[in-house]
Amino acid sequence: MAVKLAYHANCWGPLGGNAVGVTSVTQLTYRTFADMNRAFADIARAGYEGVEIFDGNLLDETPADLRRKLADAGLELVSTYSGGNFIFPDILGEELARIERVAAAAAEAGASHYVLGGGAKRAGGIRDDDYKRLGEALDQAGEIVRRAGLRAHYHPHLSTIVEGPAEVTRVFGLTDLDFCPDTAHLAAAGGDPAAQVREFSGRIGLVHLKGLQREPFGFTPLDAGDLDNGAVIQALKDINYSGWVMAELDSWPDPFEGAARSHAFLKRHFA
């Protein structure tokens, strides 16, 4: 199996967003408030070949400047990540316009994948047709992403309407997008990430792995916590997965140390 190892650059500073997005949805991007040069240097030093960044960090500079920074670090831009509400018709056009802008910039910067997360939880509770709305919106977003030359993936996530295994199965019956499993989010919501990898074996082109500590709740490097990412890697081997494996860790006291520990874990299990 041919796998390449990458790391998300979200660990080097606090997660935030573009505050203008509060009043202008088309500007509502994620971003890590950090020195991306340091993040890229640490990720490369830890042994990874590629990186994923949030859409806000991607749009923070020109694609040419980002390409130069990545080349200097010896990294490839694998993917970018965007979130969206996706269930409200009045703002969907604005969300899709943002995705179109991000997809174009990502392609120009050399990315090959685009990861989407979201599906808003309403204040009054989830409505049954929210899943249909989400599936339709994801298909529209996926078409935009594919036109830009990128592969589109949906990433189930805590705090959205797609958390537990039944919801994951349901939404992938309503969209054509690929499944990007995030092992910690799937496990925290009651899923079995290894089993879900096997369930969607034909629809996985990018994988997010991170560790999970249940009590107190938190994310960890891959060699720590309560989640058996080794079993997930075995499932990936069993389905003959080839492609990028993206380790991820939302925050850690020493980001380089966390990245290096996860890299050692991946090298050991994929050996």
Side-chain angles (χ1 to χ4, degrees), residues 5-214:
L5 304 181
Y7 203 78
H8 201 300
N10 60 344
C11 195
W12 277 259
L15 168 63
N18 183 349
V20 177
V22 174
T23 51
S24 180
V25 170
T26 194
Q27 303 298 323
L28 190 54
T29 56
Y30 283 121
R31 63 170 299 159
T32 300
F33 292 96
D35 178 355
M36 286 290 109
N37 285 320
R38 178 195 165 198
F40 295 160
D42 280 354
I43 289 167
R45 185 160 60 102
Y48 297 93
E49 300 176 74
V51 65
E52 179 175 299
I53 61 176
F54 286 126
D55 50 3
N57 295 102
L58 174 75
L59 295 176
D60 218 20
E61 53 196 318
T62 68
D65 286 342
L66 180 56
R67 271 185 179 272
R68 280 193 292 271
K69 285 184 178 181
L70 290 164
D72 288 345
L75 291 174
E76 179 179 337
L77 180 63
V78 177
S79 47
T80 191
Y81 184 100
S82 292
N85 287 269
F86 294 132
I87 65 167
F88 303 120
D90 285 353
I91 65 168
L92 180 58
E94 300 299 307
E95 293 182 315
L96 295 176
R98 169 168 53 89
I99 288 166
E100 185 169 18
R101 190 168 81 253
V102 172
E108 193 175 343
S112 50
H113 299 271
Y114 195 140
V115 184
L116 296 164
K121 286 186 175 180
R122 299 174 186 267
I126 300 170
R127 299 178 187 172
D128 191 60
D129 67 349
D130 286 345
Y131 291 96
K132 180 174 180 289
R133 292 176 186 271
L134 174 60
E136 291 171 348
L138 290 175
D139 282 347
Q140 291 180 64
E143 180 56 33
I144 290 168
V145 169
R146 284 187 286 271
R147 283 203 302 267
L150 307 176
R151 188 168 177 175
H153 312 260
Y154 179 65
H155 175 304
H157 203 287
L158 296 174
S159 81
T160 73
I161 64 172
V162 185
E163 296 178 326
E167 297 157 355
V168 173
T169 298
R170 181 177 185 181
V171 80
F172 282 103
L174 296 168
T175 179
D176 290 332
L177 263 63
D178 286 332
F179 172 46
C180 178
D182 180 305
T183 54
H185 282 268
L186 294 172
D192 177 342
Q196 288 169 291
V197 163
R198 292 186 173 93
E199 179 183 358
F200 296 103
S201 60
R203 296 180 65 173
I204 298 177
L206 181 65
V207 177
H208 280 197
L209 299 183
K210 63 174 173 261
L212 171 68
Q213 176 181 287
R214 296 187 185 278

